């Protein structure tokens, strides 16, 4: 089986699984308990937190653990908006954000906040000039994702952070779910105030998210009832998953450059092959994450292609897993100017560490076979 859906979830690293099992077996006490078992469990969580601080070189902020990227995004965005509403009620984001950001913005809009969605160009990138034009005295938050989960488009986060340094009252949040542990990120140098990540996107366990918060930032919590996670996320911590997620990030960062270069070779090769197939259209453009290649088969339902690939032992996806069962045109593809046929016929290939050029050839051969069989069926249905 060839698994080309690493953007949705990754196979956990063997060392991560072993760590999680060991912690679950030995450290089952509640970290909030005062006895020695609770103290030992609490120390493990703090050690994992310190590991994130060291790995990401973030001495000017702190990390907290959530249930995933969706919660991290919601806590960052809603937490800032509700905390700083007395400063202003204007928020800037982009038209191609993940659903967890897009829908959080819609909720805030219903609460009386003004949301500006920056348009993107045909490659899926925002314009710094347009961002600057939309900043007002009422702007309290800018939330822009680092790598788009459908197109792989890499936004100019460092440049945005540099621009926002001119507006010290504007808080900068970055959804880095598709880039943390895969692309180099300099949180402090880039001027990022809040950054979201997810463990299961980098071979860690499901159910754990990361949220970096610069010192001095305050958030209104989403859930209350305890003092866990800097008084921002009440509830007993998932110790085993937290410790395992820190290990997953360490393993990812240790081999980041090696895996990035390997993925770049695969992505370049696959994009070249896709361009040779006239029925398919590549989406997005540089700069792009090498871990994602997205193309459309205009006029063809993507789930048909996905199921035919699976019959050939190849697993791929249409868009983010959160929206994959939605048959509406992709909001992201519509934002880059795709036709309705292109926006409803998108296929996403996302790489992992295990893939080779031979795997890409297998995928391309399968796509060619599928296209030929679908063209035949289409001709047959016209008579």
């Amino acid at each position: 089986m060839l698994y080309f859906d690493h953007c949705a979830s990754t196979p956990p690293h063997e060392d991560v699984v072993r760590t999680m099992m060991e912690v679950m077996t030995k450290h089952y006490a509640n970290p909030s308990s005062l006895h020695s078992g609770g103290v030992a469990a609490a120390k493990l969580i703090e050690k994992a937190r310190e590991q994130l601080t060291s790995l990401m070189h973030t001495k000017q902020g702190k990390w907290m653990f959530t249930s995933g990227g969706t919660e991290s995004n919601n806590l960052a965005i809603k937490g800032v908006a509700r905390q700083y509403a007395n400063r202003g009620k204007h928020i800037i984001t982009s038209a191609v954000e993940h659903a967890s950001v897009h829908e959080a913005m819609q909720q805030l809009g219903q609460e009386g906040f003004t949301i500006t969605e920056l348009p993107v160009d045909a490659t899926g990138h925002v314009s710094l000039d347009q961002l600057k034009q939309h900043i007002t005295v009422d702007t309290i938050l800018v939330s822009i994702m680092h790598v788009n989960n459908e197109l792989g488009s890499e936004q100019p986060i460092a440049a945005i952070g540099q621009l926002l340094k001119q507006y010290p009252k504007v808080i900068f949040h970055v959804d880095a779910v598709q880039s943390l542990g895969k692309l180099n990120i300099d949180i402090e140098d880039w001027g990022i105030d809040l950054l979201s990540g997810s463990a299961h996107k980098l071979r860690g366990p499901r159910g754990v998210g990361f949220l970096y918060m610069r010192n001095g930032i305050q958030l209104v919590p989403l859930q209350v009832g305890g003092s866990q996670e800097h008084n921002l996320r009440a509830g007993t911590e998932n110790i085993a998953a937290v410790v395992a997620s820190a290990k997953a990030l360490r393993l990812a960062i240790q081999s980041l450059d090696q895996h990035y270069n390997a993925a770049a070779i695969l992505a370049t090769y696959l994009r070249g092959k896709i361009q040779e197939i006239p029925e398919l259209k590549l989406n997005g453009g540089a700069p792009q994450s090498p871990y994602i290649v997205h193309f459309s088969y205009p006029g063809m339902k993507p789930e048909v292609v996905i199921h035919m690939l699976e019959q050939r032992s190849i697993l791929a996806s249409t868009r983010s897993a959160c929206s994959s069962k939605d048959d509406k045109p992709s909001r992201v593809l519509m934002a880059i100017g795709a036709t309705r046929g292109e926006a409803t016929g998108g296929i996403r290939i996302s790489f992992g560490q295990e893939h080779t050029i031979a795997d890409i050839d297998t995928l391309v051969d399968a796509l060619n076979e599928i296209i030929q069989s679908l063209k035949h069926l289409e001709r047959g249905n016209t008579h």
Side-chain angles (χ1 to χ4, degrees), residues 160-367:
I160 293 173
Q162 190 64 34
L163 170 65
L164 293 180
K165 288 178 181 179
Q166 302 173 33
Y167 307 91
K169 290 186 178 180
V170 177
I171 294 171
F172 185 26
H173 167 249
V174 174
D175 172 357
V177 167
Q178 295 295 347
S179 60
L180 186 65
K182 296 181 179 181
L183 276 65
N184 285 306
I185 303 172
D186 194 327
I187 293 175
E188 294 186 352
D189 185 60
W190 292 2
I192 298 171
D193 298 309
L194 294 153
L195 180 135
S196 306
S198 178
H200 78 107
K201 308 294 188 180
L202 43 88
R203 303 196 67 187
R206 293 177 184 82
V208 184
F210 310 110
L211 181 61
Y212 165 81
M213 183 168 61
R214 180 177 59 78
N215 293 333
I217 300 291
Q218 295 182 348
L219 303 175
V220 173
L222 296 178
Q223 59 192 51
V224 295
S227 61
Q228 295 92 344
E229 295 303 305
H230 313 298
N231 291 301
L232 288 174
R233 187 178 188 270
T236 303
E237 302 92 337
N238 186 345
I239 311 164
V242 162
V243 174
S245 70
K247 169 162 275 191
L249 182 59
R250 177 174 63 82
L251 292 170
I253 289 177
Q254 284 177 345
S255 55
L256 188 150
D257 290 339
Q258 174 190 346
H259 293 142
Y260 181 95
N261 293 334
I265 292 171
L266 296 177
T268 300
Y269 184 72
L270 177 56
R271 288 179 183 133
K273 291 293 185 180
I274 295 299
Q275 288 177 318
E276 294 174 1
I277 303 175
E279 292 82 5
L280 304 182
K281 178 185 178 295
L282 276 174
N283 296 313
Q288 284 177 290
S289 166
Y291 291 96
I292 301 172
V293 174
H294 195 283
F295 57 89
S296 291
Y297 187 173
M300 184 58 61
K301 289 185 177 181
E303 58 267 28
V304 173
V305 179
I306 294 301
H307 291 317
M308 293 182 76
L309 283 171
E310 186 169 5
Q311 291 172 359
R312 292 162 172 79
S313 298
I314 299 171
L315 303 182
S317 64
T318 58
R319 57 179 91 173
S320 79
C322 304
S323 306
S324 61
K325 295 180 181 178
D326 188 348
D327 60 0
K328 296 178 182 177
S330 163
R331 174 174 51 84
V332 172
L333 291 181
M334 294 297 285
I336 65 171
T339 66
R340 186 176 180 85
E342 292 166 351
T344 54
I347 305 291
R348 183 183 68 182
I349 304 298
S350 48
F351 303 120
Q353 300 166 9
E354 74 273 23
H355 294 125
T356 65
I357 291 292
D359 295 332
I360 303 300
D361 284 333
T362 300
L363 169 64
V364 172
D365 289 344
L367 286 171

Side-chain angles (χ1 to χ4, degrees), residues 21-64:
M21 291 178 62
E22 180 180 345
V23 175
M24 287 181 70
T25 303
K26 296 181 179 179
H27 299 279
Y28 42 81
N30 191 314
S32 296
S33 297
L34 297 178
H35 53 64
S36 59
V39 172
K43 285 182 178 179
L44 283 178
I45 293 174
E46 292 313 307
K47 185 176 179 181
R49 207 185 310 279
E50 291 168 4
Q51 194 169 14
L52 263 64
T53 298
S54 176
L55 288 167
M56 299 305 298
H57 308 289
T58 49
K59 296 180 180 179
Q60 298 174 16
K62 53 183 174 282
W63 289 87
M64 58 183 296

Side-chain angles (χ1 to χ4, degrees), residues 118-135:
L118 298 176
V120 293
D121 61 20
T123 63
H125 298 92
V126 298
S127 161
L128 286 174
D129 288 339
Q130 288 198 345
L131 170 58
K132 188 172 184 178
Q133 289 170 13
H134 283 93
I135 297 174

